[in-house]
Amino acid sequence: QVQLVESGGGSVQAGGSLRLSCAASGDTRTSHFMGWFRQAPGKEREGVAAVYAVISGILYADFVTGRFTISRDNAKNTLYLQMNSLKPEDTAMYYCAASRYGGNWFRALDPREYRHWGQGTQVTVSS
């Protein structure tokens, strides 16, 4: 069983920054990649960024490229999302996720490739 706990959300003004963290525990060996997703009220959950566990590989959604940075510390079993130049449209609940066994890296921004999910952390950006 894998447990994921997000932290670091909050309220900021447009142009501000936040750093989200996701602490993972349990057996993560079958999750070859991890990702960040977000869901705004009335909208579907969408992929923000993903990182491969062992080899170098990172994917970003087009709407965050150049503003957000995903990273992971394997020694601490922690995933991060550095968010800069935040916009009001970035307001959402942000979720950390670990992929399902055999997940397809080329679809790593698709929620269906993930089995384990955290409870989420709220990010609110005001104009």
Side-chain angles (χ1 to χ4, degrees):
Q1 189 69 15
V2 175
Q3 294 82 39
L4 303 172
V5 179
E6 302 96 334
S7 61
S11 297
V12 296
Q13 291 191 329
S17 298
L18 284 173
R19 188 193 195 204
L20 306 184
S21 299
C22 172
S25 59
D27 189 358
T28 60
R29 290 175 296 175
T30 58
S31 294
H32 295 161
F33 52 90
M34 296 186 69
W36 286 98
F37 292 78
R38 69 186 188 185
Q39 188 167 18
K43 295 188 177 181
E44 292 187 353
R45 190 168 297 189
E46 61 182 357
V48 175
V51 60
Y52 209 88
V54 180
I55 64 173
S56 176
I58 291 178
L59 289 176
Y60 291 104
D62 289 343
F63 55 79
V64 302
T65 301
R67 299 189 299 125
F68 293 7
T69 302
I70 189 172
S71 61
R72 65 185 294 167
D73 185 332
N74 289 332
K76 295 182 179 179
N77 245 1
T78 301
L79 183 71
Y80 302 98
L81 184 68
Q82 177 67 44
M83 305 187 295
N84 299 327
S85 302
L86 283 162
K87 304 175 181 180
E89 51 264 44
D90 293 320
T91 295
M93 185 71 79
Y94 282 72
Y95 298 91
C96 167
S99 69
R100 58 179 179 83
Y101 178 71
N104 187 334
W105 168 246
F106 296 102
R107 295 199 299 264
L109 296 182
D110 186 337
R112 293 171 294 183
E113 298 300 321
Y114 293 80
R115 178 180 179 184
H116 309 285
W117 293 85
Q119 294 301 305
T121 185
Q122 178 67 37
V123 171
T124 302
V125 185
S126 58
S127 58

